[in-house]
Amino acid sequence: MLDTPTNRPALPPEIARRRTFAIISHPDAGKTTLTEKFLLYGGAIQMAGQVRAKGEARRTRSDFMQMEKDRGISVSASAMSFDFKDFRFNLVDTPGHSDFSEDTYRTLTAVDAAVMVIDGAKGVESQTQKLFEVCRLRDLPILTFCNKMDRESRDTFEIIDEIQENLAIDVTPASWPIGMGRDFLGCYDILRDRLELMDRADRNKVAESIEINGLDDPLLDKHVPAEQLARLREEVEMARELLPALDPQAVLEGHMTPIWFGSAINSFGVKELMNGIGTYGPEPQVQSANPRAIAPEEKKVAGFVFKVQANMDPKHRDRVAFVRLASGHFERGMKLTHVRSKKQMAVTNPVLFLAADRELAEEAWAGDIIGIPNHGQLRIGDTLTEGENLRVSGIPSFAPELLQSVRAGDPMKAKHLEKALMQFAEEGAAKVFKPAFGSGFIVGVVGALQFEVLGSRIEMEYGLPVRFEGSQFTSARWVHGPKDKVDAFMAANKQHIGHDNDGDIVYLTRLQWDIDRIARDYPDVTLSNTKEMMV
C-alpha cells in the first residue's frame, strides 16, 4: 500500500463499501468451493455447485471453460460481483494450478486484498507460498481461511505456527475449531463471542449461531460435550496468552492475518469470513501509475486492463477485457481515452460478471471490475482515462520457461492459426514468437499444462487441430539497449532473433551459455526475463 497522507478526504460511501479481493491457494485446498459459497451467501446463486460432485451439481459457476468443467480445476481467473450486507464484494477467483501462475500474478495487481485458503490437513503448500510472496511484494492485506476442518486435520496451534514461520506474518485467530474430522462440531467465534454449530445434513444451509456470554456461559454445556468443552476452554485460553490480539491497522498494512476455521463444502465458517472481509478488509486503494498515482476518490474515471479473455461467448468470437476501475464514477456510454493509441472509445456495453452470466453495467465505481467487450483494441496493461495521459505500472509479463513450435494439422490453414495464436497472445494465455528465420511460430508458456489447454481451445474455438513439436530453443529474453548496439547485435545473431506479438525484439536461447556470451560480448545490450505490460 502506498504511503498516503492522512489528510485524504473520506471516500464517497459508494466507493467505501467496495471490497475487491482475490482468493489464492494451492490447487485442491477448496478455493473454487469457497467462491461458490460466497455467491450463495451473497444471494447470487440458489445452490452451490461442487467441483467433485456428480452430474449437474458439479457445474461450478466460476469455472466456465469446458476443460475446467471436465477436469475439476480452475485454469483461468474469473471475476464476480455481488452484494453482502452493506458491502459490495468484487471477487476474483484465480487459478491455483502453478502452470497458470502468471494469470494469478497479474490478477493480484487488480485487487486490494487476498483471502488465502489453506487445507487443514496439509498446511502451507508450495503454491500458497509462491502466491503469498507476490502479495508480500505488493503489501496486500491477507485474510486466512483454514478449510476442510470436517476431515482429519492437524493441530490448530501447529497450523498457526506453520503460517507464522513459513510466511513470516503474525497470525491471530478470529475463530477456534471445536474438535476435528468426524468430531468437528463447529467453531467458537472469538471476535463476536458466539458459538457456531455445523449442520452436516444440509450443505447449503447457513450454520446455526448461538450468542453466548464468554466461554464460561452454562449454555455451552447444552451444545458441546464436556470433554470437548474442557479442551476448547484450555486452547482458547492458551491462544489468548500466546498469540497477538487482532490489530485492524496491522491487517491493513499486511503484517498480520486473522484466521478463520471452517469447512467450505459444508458452508461452515464462510459467513464469518465474509463478515471479516467487510469489517477488516481494505476499501479501494491508491493505484500506482506514471507520472502520478491515482486516488479512488478522484472525480475523473481511470481504469486498467489486467486480463483479457477471448471467446467467452464462442458464437461471437468476442474478447472481453477485464478492467479494474481505479477512480471515479463510471457510467455506461462514457467516452474514455485509450492511452496507448490516444484514441477515444465509447464504452456502450460494459458488463458486470457473475461468473459466466453477465449483465449490462449501467454504472460502476472505483474498486469495481467491469468487462469491456472489444475486438482486440484492448490489451493487458492498457490504461483508460478521461483524457489524462496516465499509465498504470507494475503489471508483469514473464519470460516463458517452455518453448515449442506449433503447426496447423492442415497446412492450408496457416493463416487461421496465426490469427488464433495472436488472440491467445493478447489474452496473455501464452507468448507467441515469430523467428526471423524459417516459417511457423514458437509458443512459450510457464507450465506444460498450458500447451494442452491451448491446443484444446484452438481446436474447440477455431476448429483447427494443431501439433506442438519440440523446438531447438529453450527460453526467450527481451532485448533492450541503444538502437545502434541492438542493430549490430541482431545482425550478428540472426538465427536467434524473433519478435513477440507486440513486435518487441526477442533473443531465443538454447543454453544458459548463450545468455552469458551475450552479456560478455555485448555489454550495452541487456536481456531481460520480464517486461512490463504496457507500450
Side-chain angles (χ1 to χ4, degrees):
M1 226 160 281
L2 300 172
D3 295 328
T4 46
T6 40
N7 56 5
R8 260 179 62 201
L11 288 178
E14 260 312 315
I15 296 179
R17 76 183 193 98
R18 300 290 193 264
R19 296 288 179 271
T20 305
F21 60 97
I23 298 191
I24 59 171
S25 80
H26 194 80
D28 240 17
K31 183 166 45 132
T32 303
T33 309
L34 183 63
T35 307
E36 294 284 301
K37 298 301 168 145
F38 276 4
L39 295 178
L40 182 72
Y41 284 139
I45 56 176
Q46 301 310 305
M47 188 185 131
Q50 289 161 25
V51 182
R52 294 246 179 281
K54 292 187 178 72
E56 235 344 271
R58 198 173 154 206
R59 301 278 172 263
T60 58
R61 304 300 146 109
S62 52
D63 290 350
F64 56 83
M65 268 188 214
Q66 194 53 46
M67 183 162 185
E68 298 182 304
K69 292 173 184 169
D70 296 344
R71 291 198 169 205
I73 57 169
S74 306
V75 297
S76 132
S78 54
M80 283 150 264
S81 302
F82 55 95
D83 286 313
F84 174 72
K85 294 190 170 168
D86 300 337
F87 300 105
R88 173 74 168 184
F89 280 2
N90 295 305
L91 156 68
V92 188
D93 178 25
T94 59
H97 202 290
S98 59
D99 287 4
F100 301 93
S101 46
E102 187 168 348
D103 199 9
T104 308
Y105 291 146
R106 281 200 292 266
T107 302
L108 289 173
T109 58
V111 296
D112 302 311
V115 171
M116 178 165 72
V117 183
I118 284 178
D119 181 329
K122 297 178 185 156
V124 178
E125 297 172 88
S126 56
Q127 186 61 17
T128 319
Q129 192 135 6
K130 264 190 178 158
L131 294 169
F132 180 83
E133 298 300 327
V134 184
C135 296
R136 174 53 53 88
L137 288 173
R138 300 182 52 80
D139 279 342
L140 280 182
I142 290 183
L143 306 154
T144 306
F145 183 68
C146 185
N147 194 15
K148 304 192 181 180
M149 294 307 292
D150 58 322
R151 305 197 189 163
E152 286 312 314
S153 42
R154 293 170 34 194
D155 176 68
T156 313
F157 283 107
E158 211 179 298
I159 295 170
I160 290 177
D161 273 352
E162 185 173 345
I163 299 171
Q164 288 190 334
E165 276 175 36
N166 285 357
L167 306 179
I169 187 167
D170 287 334
V171 180
T172 178
S175 69
W176 199 266
I178 305 170
M180 66 168 78
R182 278 188 188 154
D183 305 331
F184 180 65
L185 291 180
C187 284
Y188 167 59
D189 184 337
I190 295 179
L191 300 178
R192 298 182 316 154
D193 211 15
R194 280 165 184 269
L195 185 64
E196 308 287 346
L197 296 178
M198 184 169 94
D199 179 1
R200 282 179 189 262
D202 182 359
R203 291 184 154 173
N204 281 331
K205 205 179 113 189
V206 177
E208 188 186 354
S209 175
I210 298 158
E211 203 160 335
I212 50 172
N213 213 340
L215 279 173
D216 301 325
D217 193 323
L219 249 182
L220 281 169
D221 300 324
K222 277 193 201 159
H223 299 283
V224 184
E227 194 182 321
Q228 280 181 307
L229 185 56
R231 185 158 173 207
L232 172 70
R233 285 178 173 145
E234 184 188 354
E235 286 185 348
V236 172
E237 187 70 27
M238 275 172 71
R240 283 184 167 149
E241 296 273 311
L242 299 170
L243 298 167
L246 182 71
D247 171 1
Q249 191 52 38
V251 174
L252 290 178
E253 287 165 5
H255 307 316
M256 171 181 274
T257 175
I259 182 167
W260 283 265
F261 293 86
S263 158
I265 199 155
N266 289 302
S267 309
F268 182 77
V270 179
K271 202 155 124 246
E272 290 68 41
L273 172 64
M274 291 171 83
N275 283 324
I277 295 169
T279 314
Y280 303 107
E283 42 193 38
Q285 295 296 312
V286 174
Q287 181 66 47
S288 57
N290 296 322
R292 64 175 189 82
I294 305 168
E297 67 272 9
E298 289 174 28
K299 291 281 182 283
K300 291 201 166 172
V301 171
F304 63 97
V305 178
F306 66 94
K307 176 183 167 61
V308 174
Q309 181 73 47
N311 303 342
M312 270 179 93
D313 179 353
K315 294 187 203 65
H316 293 123
R317 287 260 172 276
D318 66 340
R319 278 183 243 189
V320 175
F322 286 65
V323 175
R324 154 78 198 239
L325 292 178
S327 67
H329 176 203
F330 167 86
E331 290 174 280
R332 184 159 91 99
M334 261 183 135
K335 282 195 164 63
L336 294 177
T337 302
H338 180 221
V339 175
R340 175 165 57 87
S341 67
K342 303 194 173 44
K343 287 188 181 140
Q344 286 243 318
M345 277 179 81
V347 186
T348 48
N349 50 355
V351 291
L352 276 176
F353 298 98
L354 217 165
D357 306 326
R358 335 172 183 176
E359 54 180 63
L360 271 182
E362 292 300 332
E363 57 166 9
W365 296 79
D368 282 338
I369 290 168
I370 57 171
I372 299 183
N374 69 96
H375 289 284
Q377 302 94 315
L378 292 175
R379 294 192 199 160
I380 293 171
D382 277 349
T383 308
L384 296 168
T385 65
E386 280 193 61
E388 197 179 343
N389 191 359
L390 293 170
R391 294 177 178 208
V392 167
S393 53
I395 299 179
S397 178
F398 301 99
E401 293 165 27
L402 301 167
L403 298 182
Q404 288 191 352
S405 57
V406 58
R407 300 201 184 291
D410 175 352
M412 304 304 287
K413 294 207 166 155
K415 263 277 170 271
H416 292 88
L417 176 63
E418 178 171 350
K419 192 175 159 197
L421 289 173
M422 286 306 156
Q423 267 215 311
F424 289 124
E426 282 170 22
E427 190 183 304
K431 304 283 178 292
V432 176
F433 305 117
K434 180 90 178 91
F437 268 77
S439 64
F441 289 90
I442 289 178
V443 174
V445 295
V446 177
L449 185 59
Q450 278 177 289
F451 283 126
E452 247 182 271
V453 172
L454 210 57
S456 94
R457 285 188 63 188
I458 292 175
E459 192 161 343
M460 282 178 64
E461 293 169 20
Y462 292 88
L464 263 185
V466 292
R467 287 201 308 279
F468 286 106
E469 297 162 354
S471 156
Q472 54 164 332
F473 300 115
T474 56
S475 69
R477 295 287 183 269
W478 284 281
V479 180
H480 307 281
K483 189 176 180 321
D484 54 332
K485 303 282 195 240
V486 171
D487 290 347
F489 161 74
M490 283 170 67
N493 295 282
K494 280 192 182 123
Q495 68 282 16
H496 283 273
I497 298 295
H499 290 86
D500 69 6
N501 60 302
D502 294 324
D504 292 335
I505 303 160
V506 175
Y507 177 71
L508 298 162
T509 73
R510 284 190 287 252
L511 309 160
Q512 180 60 38
W513 182 85
D514 289 332
I515 297 174
D516 298 339
R517 177 180 68 84
I518 301 301
R520 193 179 63 236
D521 297 354
Y522 299 90
D524 299 322
V525 171
T526 51
L527 299 180
S528 82
N529 57 4
T530 56
K531 96 172 179 177
E532 187 124 324
M533 301 282 283
M534 46 191 249
V535 185

